[in-house]
Amino acid sequence: MESLFSRLFKYRSSDKRVQQENFLTEIFAFLLKNPALVAAFLNECGVAIQGQPENIKIDTQQSFSTYPERIQPDIFVRFFVDNQKWLVFIENKVGAREGENQLDRYLGYLSKEVNKDTNCALLYLTRYYDPKLVDPPLGVIFKPIRWGQVYSILAKFEDNVFVSQARLFMEENNLSLSRDFSTNEITAMMHWNTVRTMMDNSLEEAQERLKQITGIKRLYQEDVGDYLYIAGKSLAIEIGYYLEDIAKEATDEDFPYVGSAIVVYPEHRNREQITSAFMEFEKKGRNWKLRGDPKDKNDEIWVEKLLLLKEFMKSKDHISSIQQWFLKEILPDIEEFLKDNPYSLN
């Protein structure tokens, strides 16, 4: 049976992609309004609150001032335990990557709250293992957690119909993350080195050309979820393999996408101008598609050009076919965009 949340997700606007990440944030924030669930969640994540939370206030995407900038954690939770104040930030990353110094800025704000006699914690919630080298200020708790842990914690509250539907939705979207190896997973593990080598071979020339175009000597590699090479930070150029469910159609579930994206994050000082440039770039008719919500100032916006891997499997030499597609169809477009829009990639 399809979950309530999957049915709701089908009603997303057809003219923009509703991010799974934001949808999950709203679901989880709703569930956290249960005091017993909040207590169980925090304690099992390593934030020992030693009591039942009271006067709980939960909201999503609320802005906090860190003059001269502002921060906007996905979820914030305020409550009291035995007259002690608590403030917890939860940052949810399912598909997107961390913004520039995002966690450090959150920790900086929370350190000031600690000085006001508030107990503070920052929870970094991800689909996959994503270690972070952060040095939390004195008195601030930092804990990386995964959606698989949340799935297990919610099992204790499955009598609640909303919790049971949330867990079903997590199963449907590969967020429950089984703790048992299947035959398919063992087979994939045995072939992973070969697959990774083939992906790297297909991207080798494209990487070098991207370095020349951007002037960046070393690309960042993203191999959590997707398999990408990235130039830039708050304005980023991605090339590689999209292994997650980015823009997938139901009939194409078993094939990853190959391609590129030019992404602008909310913290870029020229975000509005770059977003306008994306709109014009899409109109050129070269199969670059605008994604995200340009009206949402807190949303990352990007243009992407993707092909299913199976399209390259029609050629005699899959690797060469992918190499040539990047060199002839992707990178010249990226070079043109950056020349027409010479904004900082940092």
Side-chain angles (χ1 to χ4, degrees):
M1 182 179 70
E2 190 178 44
S3 73
L4 166 65
F5 297 114
S6 283
R7 292 199 300 273
L8 289 173
F9 196 55
K10 288 181 178 178
Y11 293 102
R12 63 194 186 277
S13 172
S14 59
D15 62 351
K16 68 176 183 179
R17 175 175 169 260
V18 175
Q19 296 182 18
Q20 182 192 60
E21 190 171 282
N22 292 339
F23 196 69
L24 279 163
T25 294
E26 297 298 333
I27 292 172
F28 192 45
F30 174 80
L31 297 180
L32 287 175
K33 293 180 180 180
N34 180 330
L37 197 153
V38 170
F41 169 68
L42 293 177
N43 283 316
E44 296 206 28
C45 290
V47 182
I49 61 173
Q50 298 177 345
Q52 188 77 351
E54 299 176 341
N55 300 324
I56 300 173
K57 181 182 179 182
I58 296 177
D59 207 348
T60 59
Q61 310 296 343
Q62 178 164 319
S63 180
F64 295 83
S65 176
T66 58
Y67 184 82
E69 299 177 315
R70 301 188 71 83
I71 60 171
Q72 186 167 294
D74 288 322
I75 301 174
F76 85 90
V77 187
R78 288 189 187 273
F79 57 90
F80 288 83
V81 176
D82 296 332
N83 294 320
Q84 288 188 327
K85 292 186 293 183
W86 277 87
L87 173 60
V88 178
F89 284 173
I90 303 173
E91 186 62 20
N92 174 27
K93 295 295 183 189
V94 175
R97 61 190 177 97
E98 179 196 353
E100 186 176 6
N101 299 321
Q102 188 175 22
L103 297 181
D104 287 334
R105 286 185 280 124
Y106 291 172
L107 290 168
Y109 179 89
L110 292 174
S111 69
K112 295 177 182 178
E113 291 294 305
V114 167
N115 294 332
K116 301 175 185 177
D117 295 324
T118 301
N119 298 287
C120 294
L122 171 60
L123 304 180
Y124 183 58
L125 179 56
T126 59
R127 184 197 299 261
Y128 303 112
Y129 176 64
D130 185 15
K132 292 295 177 183
L133 297 176
V134 298
D135 185 16
L138 184 65
V140 180
I141 301 168
F142 173 75
K143 294 289 183 181
I145 55 175
R146 294 193 287 282
W147 273 105
Q149 294 171 262
V150 174
Y151 177 82
S152 298
I153 293 168
L154 292 179
K156 299 177 181 179
F157 300 88
E158 202 164 22
D159 288 345
N160 181 302
V161 64
F162 291 106
V163 172
S164 64
Q165 288 292 303
R167 293 184 83 241
L168 182 56
F169 180 77
M170 292 169 68
E171 292 169 8
E172 294 165 345
N173 287 274
N174 192 31
L175 289 163
S176 55
L177 298 183
S178 171
R179 300 177 70 86
D180 300 315
F181 288 109
S182 69
T183 302
N184 287 342
E185 286 153 355
I186 293 172
T187 301
M189 187 188 305
M190 296 298 293
H191 292 283
W192 169 241
N193 284 336
T194 299
V195 173
R196 182 173 59 186
T197 299
M198 293 178 71
M199 290 191 292
D200 281 336
N201 287 343
S202 69
L203 296 171
E204 185 174 1
E205 292 183 52
Q207 285 185 64
E208 294 306 313
R209 184 69 187 118
L210 182 59
K211 291 176 186 177
Q212 293 172 2
I213 291 170
T214 61
I216 293 176
K217 295 181 179 180
R218 185 173 182 178
L219 305 182
Y220 167 77
Q221 185 177 11
E222 172 66 71
D223 58 1
V224 177
D226 298 320
Y227 195 82
L228 306 172
Y229 287 92
I230 302 169
K233 294 181 180 178
S234 56
L235 176 60
I237 317 296
E238 303 174 352
I239 58 171
Y241 291 78
Y242 292 87
L243 309 178
E244 294 291 324
D245 50 354
I246 180 172
K248 281 191 177 180
E249 301 294 337
T251 55
D252 296 323
E253 288 179 351
D254 294 331
F255 288 90
Y257 280 84
V258 183
S260 177
I262 309 173
V263 188
V264 63
Y265 290 89
E267 62 266 24
H268 198 291
R269 61 181 178 272
N270 300 113
R271 179 187 178 279
E272 290 187 14
Q273 296 95 318
I274 294 170
T275 299
S276 297
F278 283 168
M279 294 177 179
E280 294 302 314
F281 195 56
E282 183 185 38
K283 292 177 183 177
K284 293 189 176 183
R286 300 176 188 169
N287 296 318
W288 288 87
K289 303 298 181 183
L290 181 68
R291 303 295 186 187
D293 184 0
K295 296 179 182 178
D296 185 350
K297 294 182 179 180
N298 301 304
D299 199 4
E300 58 199 54
I301 310 297
W302 69 98
V303 283
E304 64 184 22
K305 187 171 183 177
L306 307 173
L307 274 181
L308 285 166
L309 179 58
K310 69 178 181 181
E311 295 300 318
F312 298 99
M313 295 171 67
K314 299 173 183 177
S315 63
K316 292 182 179 180
D317 186 332
H318 304 168
I319 300 298
S320 293
S321 180
I322 294 170
Q323 288 173 339
Q324 291 304 306
W325 186 65
F326 273 108
L327 293 175
K328 294 181 179 180
E329 302 292 335
I330 296 289
L331 291 162
D333 287 351
I334 292 173
E335 184 174 20
E336 178 184 319
F337 179 85
L338 293 179
K339 283 183 178 179
D340 292 342
N341 304 280
Y343 298 108
S344 171
L345 295 177
N346 293 315

